[in-house]
């Protein structure tokens, strides 16, 4: 393994792992994920599968309970959001257990689990391992990110996210070379994250005030602040089926508010105002395209919460 970070291995034996899947009306995609987990759970010496259901009404919990993967189903009785569901699962697990968080629309590729575990165990300063993410057609999804910044947001607003990414200015990392080799990143999309026991101990619980979106940005920032690394491992691959938030005005508005809330926590009022203005420009320039873009603009003009 081409580990440029060194060869210091953990001395605590085989890593205990729990796969945590958060569901909310996920019946359409959940069986496919559990099917993909079934043949690979033997790659880890001790692997549990937990499905945390956020009060679905489409039979998601029942699908998980009936599946041959033998998942433990945690029914939260409410839709408390992604972070709250992860915390509910983590509260049931010993602190020495690593957690692989998966969206229900993820599909594991054979040996992906083994490669993520090997990467996580290769050095004591690794906090989170993220796999290579593929679109359904097999192309690489641009899942790696830079820390949100004023330059990045204004580049996305004026040039568009894809153009800004290809110029190396936006939040999204788009250069193909970045996806070929193991590397440190600021953060990666939260659809598939392996969290080491060290990260659990140092970063603590996920922030439940982020109902959806920006919770993974916040968590991975706290992992980095604790002295641990976020590591991309290209030998581990997963397929991601969905992810079209800009088709939903409600989700687009929620993402916008949480982007502003997250940025405000780490920057002064002037920088935050300029950041918010950049998102406003993004929405205004594209308001003719869809209701979702108009929802972005309205979210910028209204309160975003604390």
């Amino acid at each position: 393994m081409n580990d440029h970070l060194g060869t210091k291995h953990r001395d605590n034996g085989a890593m205990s792992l729990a796969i945590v899947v958060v569901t909310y009306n996920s019946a359409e995609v959940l069986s496919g994920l559990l099917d993909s987990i079934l043949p690979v759970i033997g790659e880890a010496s001790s692997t549990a599968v937990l499905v945390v259901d956020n009060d679905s009404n489409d039979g998601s919990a029942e699908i998980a309970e009936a599946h041959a993967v033998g998942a433990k189903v945690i029914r939260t009785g409410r839709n408390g959001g992604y972070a709250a569901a992860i915390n509910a699962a983590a509260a049931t697990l010993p602190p020495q257990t690593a957690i692989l968080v998966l969206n229900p629309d993820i599909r594991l590729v054979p040996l992906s689990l083994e490669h993520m575990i090997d990467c996580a165990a290769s050095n004591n300063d690794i906090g989170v391992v993220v796999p290579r993410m593929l679109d359904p057609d097999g192309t690489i999804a641009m899942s790696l990110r830079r820390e949100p910044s004023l330059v990045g947001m204004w580049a996305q607003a004026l040039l568009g996210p894809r153009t800004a990414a290809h110029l190396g200015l936006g939040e999204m990392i788009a250069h193909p070379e970045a996806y070929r080799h193991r590397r440190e990143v600021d953060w990666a999309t939260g659809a598939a994250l392996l969290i080491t026991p060290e990260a659990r101990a140092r970063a603590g619980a996920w922030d439940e005030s982020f109902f959806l979106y920006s919770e993974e940005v916040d968590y991975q920032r706290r992992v980095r602040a604790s002295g641990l690394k976020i590591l991309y491992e290209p030998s581990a691959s997963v397929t991601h089926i969905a992810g079209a938030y800009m088709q939903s005005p409600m989700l687009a508005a929620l993402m916008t508010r949480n982007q502003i809330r997250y940025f405000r926590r780490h920057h002064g009022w002037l920088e935050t105002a300029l950041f918010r203005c950049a998102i406003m420009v993004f929405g205004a320039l594209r308001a003719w395209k869809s209701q979702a873009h108009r929802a972005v603009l309205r979210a910028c003009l209204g309160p975003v919460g604390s």
Side-chain angles (χ1 to χ4, degrees):
M1 206 175 265
N2 59 339
D3 187 356
H4 66 275
L5 297 176
T7 57
K8 182 180 179 183
H9 290 267
R10 305 178 194 274
D11 56 7
N12 56 353
M15 182 177 293
S16 176
L17 177 73
I19 299 175
V20 172
V21 182
V22 178
T23 56
Y24 176 69
N25 292 337
S26 307
E28 185 177 347
V29 294
L30 179 58
S31 292
L33 169 62
L34 300 178
D35 289 345
S36 76
I37 290 175
L38 191 57
V40 302
I41 55 176
E43 297 169 15
S45 60
S46 177
T47 305
V49 180
L50 284 71
V51 174
V52 187
D53 186 69
N54 275 339
D55 204 24
S56 298
N57 57 23
D58 68 345
S60 293
E62 290 77 11
I63 289 171
E65 288 170 336
H67 197 277
V69 78
K72 174 185 177 182
V73 178
I74 300 173
R75 297 171 183 257
T76 65
R78 66 187 182 105
N79 184 11
Y82 198 65
I86 294 172
N87 287 340
T92 71
L93 298 168
Q96 67 271 21
T97 300
I99 296 176
L100 175 60
V101 178
L102 297 176
N103 273 13
D105 56 1
I106 288 289
R107 304 291 181 262
L108 289 180
V109 175
L111 298 181
S112 57
L113 188 56
E114 178 182 349
H115 290 311
M116 278 188 277
I117 292 170
D118 286 348
C119 179
S122 66
N123 197 289
N124 288 326
D125 61 2
I126 297 171
V128 172
V129 176
V130 298
R132 181 177 62 169
M133 197 167 290
L134 305 174
D135 288 325
D137 63 1
T139 57
I140 295 177
M142 303 293 104
S143 60
L144 305 181
R145 299 288 187 269
R146 300 179 181 89
E147 179 69 12
S149 69
L150 270 180
V151 170
M153 187 53 70
W154 275 102
Q156 290 172 198
L158 299 174
L159 303 174
R162 289 282 176 179
T163 301
H166 285 292
L167 292 175
L169 297 173
E171 195 171 305
M172 182 190 303
I173 297 175
H175 197 287
E177 187 64 26
Y179 291 85
R180 291 185 184 131
H181 306 289
R182 179 185 289 185
R183 57 170 294 174
E184 289 182 48
V185 295
D186 288 340
W187 65 281
T189 54
L193 303 172
L194 192 152
I195 304 165
T196 66
E198 285 85 352
R200 291 182 63 195
R202 296 191 195 184
W206 288 56
D207 188 339
E208 298 182 15
S209 71
F210 293 104
F211 177 82
L212 187 65
Y213 300 122
S214 292
E215 71 275 67
E216 78 269 47
V217 193
D218 173 80
Y219 186 79
Q220 290 173 77
R221 182 188 180 108
R222 286 190 283 122
V223 169
R224 298 196 317 272
S226 77
L228 299 174
K229 296 179 172 67
I230 313 297
L231 209 64
Y232 166 69
E233 177 50 72
S235 68
S237 295
V238 301
T239 299
H240 192 203
I241 293 175
Y245 72 89
M246 285 306 290
Q247 294 178 10
S248 166
M250 180 190 70
L251 293 181
L254 178 60
M255 188 191 73
T256 298
R257 288 192 292 268
N258 280 350
Q259 282 180 307
I260 297 169
R261 289 179 57 233
Y262 171 80
F263 192 87
R264 185 173 60 192
R265 290 187 179 186
H266 305 288
H267 300 85
W269 70 268
L270 179 58
E271 287 177 283
T272 301
L274 292 171
F275 185 84
R276 187 171 187 155
C277 186
I279 302 179
M280 194 181 308
V281 169
F282 172 87
L285 291 177
R286 296 160 183 84
W288 60 271
K289 285 187 173 183
S290 69
Q291 292 184 14
H293 287 92
R294 293 191 286 276
V296 169
L297 179 57
R298 288 194 299 271
C300 287
L301 295 171
V304 298
S306 57

